[in-house]
Amino acid sequence: MTELMFCEFEAKFVIFLGIQFIYQEKSMKLDVLALAAHPDDTELNCAGTLAVLVQQGKKVGVVDLTQGEMGTRGTAELRLIEAENAADILGLAVRENLKLKDTFLENTREHQLEIIKYIRHYRPEVCFITAPQDRHPDHGKAHNLLKDALFYSGLRKIETEWNGQKQEAWRPVHVFAYMQDSPFEPDTIFDISTTQSMKEKAILAFTSQFNADKDTKEPQTYISGSDFFEAIRSRARVLGHRIGVEYGEGFLYLNGPIPMKSLDSYLEFKPKR
């Protein structure tokens, strides 16, 4: 008999180099999941926060709804590669793409179910989603779609399957909307002073989209110039200044007041006032 080798990773057990694979899969539990309409949305708007959480030992992932294939610059294939490069920079445990049609996002049961499958598979405690309204229509549409899908994911009578196995209901405990191009008044600002440089590297992993002033092969866009990149950095400075730190990212806490059980984080965090 051919010698078998055993490989164990996460909750998957595989026997390989034999005639037959034996495969058993369990869901990967994430602490935090960020969801976006397009690849690069999370990099632009919450990557600094995600990087801090990774450094704190949290298991963090990103799910993009579309491949951004309708964007002026780049291709779907290239943007997937860029997204993986950015994920490596941030230290993400997971980067997925649902491959829904770009510019066709709608709050339908079909789209909700696709998202619910991933929520139930990764079972995050905290989710970050797109802004309620924004310059790009897909961002606001994605917000309503995601918000509803996150709620419906907790209803056990809405049935979904993953690899042929029935999934259990799951609803994240906390949901935040990240600020995108159109500013809003945040109720939460996260200190990203230690990860702003990492965030910028993750953004620049999307070489087809940003800091491309000298690229004459494709048209220049609203986001492709160095001025847009500087605006992203400037906003982070302004948000950071508002809480007495160097850089920050702004969020809205959804579904009610911000809950508290302890003052420990406030007693430990002593920004300039």
Side-chain angles (χ1 to χ4, degrees):
M1 180 180 292
T2 304
E3 182 178 356
L4 300 181
M5 297 180 63
F6 295 80
C7 177
E8 178 180 336
F9 54 99
E10 295 300 335
K12 301 180 181 180
F13 301 86
V14 182
I15 297 177
F16 63 104
L17 294 186
I19 297 174
Q20 188 174 13
F21 284 81
I22 300 174
Y23 184 88
Q24 181 181 11
E25 179 179 34
K26 296 181 181 179
S27 297
M28 176 190 288
K29 178 76 171 71
L30 293 178
D31 299 304
V32 178
L33 181 63
L35 300 109
H38 314 105
D40 74 29
D41 285 346
T42 52
E43 280 72 21
L44 288 169
N45 305 295
C46 65
T49 299
L50 300 184
V52 170
L53 295 172
V54 169
Q55 291 178 355
Q56 292 175 348
K58 304 296 187 293
K59 189 170 285 188
V60 179
V62 168
V63 170
D64 301 312
L65 302 186
T66 78
Q67 300 175 87
E69 67 272 17
M70 299 303 289
T72 302
R73 299 176 60 86
T75 64
E77 295 75 17
L78 176 57
R79 295 190 75 174
L80 287 176
I81 294 171
E82 292 170 340
E84 285 301 320
N85 291 338
D88 289 342
I89 291 168
L90 297 173
L92 301 181
V94 171
R95 184 81 185 240
E96 301 270 18
N97 195 297
L98 270 58
K99 298 184 179 179
L100 302 180
K101 292 181 66 176
D102 192 16
T103 73
F104 284 87
L105 290 177
E106 297 293 342
N107 194 4
T108 63
R109 181 48 57 94
E110 179 184 6
H111 283 178
Q112 290 168 4
L113 288 174
E114 287 302 309
I115 296 164
I116 288 171
K117 291 176 186 178
Y118 283 81
I119 297 301
R120 290 176 172 178
H121 181 65
Y122 289 117
R123 299 176 296 153
E125 303 291 344
V126 177
C127 282
F128 294 96
I129 69 172
T130 57
Q133 295 180 333
D134 199 48
R135 172 181 174 272
H136 195 311
D138 279 0
H139 299 162
K141 288 183 177 181
H143 176 89
N144 293 326
L145 168 60
L146 290 166
K147 187 176 179 182
D148 287 356
L150 292 176
F151 183 86
Y152 293 146
S153 182
L155 301 181
R156 65 181 182 87
K157 290 184 179 180
I158 295 179
E159 296 184 355
T160 57
E161 292 186 354
W162 187 277
N163 289 339
Q165 300 295 316
K166 184 177 178 180
Q167 293 181 295
E168 295 181 359
W170 182 269
R171 183 179 296 146
V173 179
H174 306 287
V175 182
F176 294 85
Y178 46 79
M179 189 184 302
Q180 299 194 253
D181 189 69
S182 301
F184 54 64
E185 179 60 25
D187 56 23
T188 307
I189 297 177
F190 200 101
D191 179 9
I192 62 165
S193 301
T194 61
T195 57
Q196 174 67 21
S197 60
M198 190 180 298
K199 170 180 177 166
E200 293 184 6
K201 289 178 182 177
I203 293 172
L204 293 177
F206 292 86
T207 56
S208 67
Q209 304 299 309
F210 306 111
N211 260 14
D213 305 76
K214 297 179 181 179
D215 183 357
T216 59
K217 296 178 181 179
E218 293 188 283
Q220 292 295 313
T221 69
Y222 179 78
I223 66 172
S224 63
S226 57
D227 56 340
F228 177 80
F229 190 80
E230 286 299 324
I232 294 295
R233 181 182 292 153
S234 296
R235 172 180 284 178
R237 281 191 178 278
V238 170
L239 289 170
H241 179 71
R242 291 187 63 182
I243 61 168
V245 300
E246 189 173 6
Y247 294 103
E249 287 175 331
F251 302 93
L252 289 176
Y253 185 81
L254 304 180
N255 301 331
I258 298 174
M260 292 179 59
K261 188 177 180 180
S262 169
L263 289 176
D264 286 352
S265 61
Y266 292 96
L267 295 173
E268 293 169 5
F269 183 40
K270 298 179 181 179
K272 298 176 183 176
R273 290 297 192 189

